[in-house]
Amino acid sequence: VAQELQTFIDTANAPIFGIDDKGLVNEWNNKAAEITGFSSEEVVGRNLVEDFITEEYHTSVKEVLDNALRGMEAANFEFPLYTKDQRRVEVLLNATTRRNATGKVVGVLGVGQDITERKDAEVVKARVAQELQTFIDTANAPIFGIDDKGLVNEWNNKAAEITGFSSEEVVGRNLVEDFITEEYHTSVKEVLDNALRGMEAANFEFPLYTKDQRRVEVLLNATTRRNATGKVVGVLGVGQDITERKDAEVVKARVAQELQT
């Protein structure tokens, strides 16, 4: 049984290490060697925390291992290991108390997962999200968002500039009921409801009323907003202020009518 367990540890497709009750490495399987570049011979007998954990994580990792040596095991603890060539490897660790045949604690067995790619993807995702948020905030077009209940959750700088309502005044309020003139309630709500069902709209015209009761004509593209699992969570509206163009059309039509008569 002991040999079978040792073979499992050595060949498992997950990094597994062990320490004794002094914190010195006494297990270092093939996957741990593969991930870190350190062979078992280079690691066994050395202090895991002091020699292989980055200094900023010394305290937290030592605390987890010390707790496990007192019988308080840990699950899903994240920490970085540094490889032989100084790359950072993110590890998700389960720390299990190791006991001898009499039940005495003799060390800790750590079973990990290399989550470096996942963490890198999370960093990229966060950066892209931040870049998108910056784009939304600073775009030279009014952009607003609503959640699946029709409440405003995005209101960029240009939307604030055009309407006179700051983001703080608008977020959390019902877009249609509070900011669309009553005669357009039904049509705008229909467009947004359709987008919430995945039927997007392009070049839909409607008026917004500003804080000082001016009418602003907006040409809107309504895009369905989905979360990471594809579930619809809202609508993002990207607009253009076409008030001047509409005013010019009115003047042009009036002049044409005057010429006609």
Side-chain angles (χ1 to χ4, degrees), residues 145-219:
I146 60 167
D147 64 18
D148 57 358
K149 298 178 180 66
L151 305 182
V152 177
N153 56 12
E154 295 278 1
W155 192 261
N156 79 339
N157 297 344
K158 195 69 176 180
E161 176 190 322
I162 287 171
T163 65
F165 290 106
S166 70
S167 172
E168 291 76 15
E169 292 175 288
V170 176
V171 167
R173 295 172 63 182
N174 189 290
L175 178 71
V176 173
E177 291 179 8
D178 293 349
F179 300 100
I180 306 296
T181 178
E182 193 167 347
E183 65 185 301
Y184 278 85
H185 275 192
T186 302
S187 58
V188 174
K189 189 174 188 307
E190 183 179 4
V191 166
L192 298 178
D193 285 348
N194 283 342
L196 285 170
R197 290 192 289 268
M199 295 178 284
E200 300 178 342
N203 299 331
F204 173 72
E205 292 185 21
F206 72 99
L208 273 174
Y209 275 82
T210 67
K211 199 170 186 176
D212 58 3
Q213 296 303 302
R214 287 180 300 104
R215 177 174 168 139
V216 176
E217 300 288 342
V218 175
L219 185 67

Side-chain angles (χ1 to χ4, degrees), residues 103-123:
K104 179 186 175 187
V105 173
V106 293
V108 177
L109 195 66
V111 180
Q113 293 182 54
D114 179 0
I115 58 169
T116 308
E117 289 186 9
R118 192 191 83 185
K119 294 286 282 187
D120 288 347
E122 287 173 359
V123 169

Side-chain angles (χ1 to χ4, degrees), residues 9 16-28 48 61-74 93-100 104-111:
I9 289 173
I16 299 178
F17 64 83
I19 60 167
D20 62 18
D21 56 359
K22 297 180 180 64
L24 306 181
V25 178
N26 57 10
E27 293 280 1
W28 194 260
L48 176 70
V61 174
K62 189 173 187 306
E63 183 179 3
V64 167
L65 298 177
D66 286 349
N67 283 342
L69 285 170
R70 291 193 289 268
M72 294 178 287
E73 300 178 341
L93 179 74
N94 288 347
T96 304
T97 305
R98 202 169 192 177
R99 301 174 189 272
N100 65 13
K104 179 186 175 187
V105 173
V106 293
V108 177
L109 195 66
V111 180

